[in-house]
Amino acid sequence: RFPAEHYTFENWEWAFTMLFSRAIRLRNLQVGERLAMVPYADLINHSAFSQAFIDARESGDWLFKSGEEEVILYADRGYRQMEQVYISYGQKSNAELLLLYGFALERNPYNSVDVTVSIAPRTKQIAEANEGVEEDPLADEKLEFLLSVGRDQTVDFPCYADRYPVEMLEYLR
């Protein structure tokens, strides 16, 4: 047991920061998926374009397995000596990267802003209740269509610096 004076907010904050900035999800363990603190793995930098990843596997060669497990870096391509290897921390926006890891990327393909789009149906009742609002003769049909395709009247769409979701345009039509 640890002495009570070790249970401070500063120690909790340090432990929380270490866990969220350095823990790695190992999916292929014999006991199932686990979080692990893997020495030196936190020194591998992030690239949104990398397909390399860290996971666990049973050690040994293809014929003789030892029953032990090891952590391995699966490279996404061949690397030259002294070339830096990157892994992806996941499809995260700059806000998530900054919050979880303390950095942001200049060109982040997953950096987006949610745009909330809301369709106010101009039904006969709405038009009569609001002066200057013109009735849309197709308002009821539009609402029925939204319900039939599983959409709400208010939807959030992620918009990126270089692209927007096609679904947003379909929704607005």
Side-chain angles (χ1 to χ4, degrees):
R1 296 194 135 215
F2 290 108
E5 62 266 11
H6 289 287
Y7 294 99
T8 64
F9 178 74
E10 290 79 19
N11 285 347
W12 176 86
E13 189 175 41
W14 174 85
F16 185 85
T17 304
M18 291 300 109
L19 178 66
F20 273 86
S21 66
R22 290 173 170 75
I24 294 175
R25 187 175 309 280
L26 301 176
R27 295 183 182 346
N28 290 322
L29 291 170
Q30 292 172 356
V31 296
E33 185 175 298
R34 296 283 193 271
L35 283 179
M37 300 286 280
V38 179
Y40 301 106
D42 62 320
L43 298 176
I44 303 173
N45 286 324
H46 167 75
S47 169
F49 307 103
S50 176
Q51 298 297 313
F53 64 96
I54 296 175
D55 207 345
R57 71 172 184 188
E58 189 176 356
S59 60
D61 59 29
W62 66 275
L63 186 56
F64 299 103
K65 300 292 183 186
S66 68
E68 298 285 318
E69 293 179 298
E70 62 187 1
V71 174
I72 185 167
L73 170 67
Y74 291 94
D76 56 347
R77 62 181 177 82
Y79 286 86
R80 295 186 312 271
Q81 184 176 352
M82 303 303 292
E83 183 181 1
Q84 182 173 192
V85 177
Y86 292 93
I87 61 174
S88 173
Y89 297 175
Q91 296 179 358
K92 298 188 179 347
S93 68
N94 276 343
E96 292 172 295
L97 290 173
L98 192 58
L99 178 67
L100 295 172
Y101 307 108
F103 69 90
L105 300 174
E106 186 174 338
R107 292 183 183 95
N108 185 348
Y110 304 109
N111 200 34
S112 65
V113 174
D114 281 347
V115 173
T116 302
V117 178
S118 211
I119 295 178
R122 295 178 296 152
T123 60
K124 183 176 183 177
Q125 298 83 2
I126 298 286
E128 289 173 355
N130 296 287
E131 189 176 324
V133 173
E134 188 177 319
E135 178 186 353
D136 179 359
L138 300 175
D140 291 323
E141 290 179 42
K142 290 177 183 179
L143 287 174
E144 285 178 36
F145 175 76
L146 285 176
L147 288 173
S148 72
V149 295
R151 291 284 191 178
D152 293 326
Q153 285 180 241
T154 301
V155 181
D156 292 326
F157 294 98
C159 291
Y160 302 87
D162 60 342
R163 63 193 185 282
Y164 51 85
V166 173
E167 294 85 4
M168 184 171 73
L169 292 180
E170 291 170 351
Y171 181 82
L172 292 172
R173 287 186 189 141

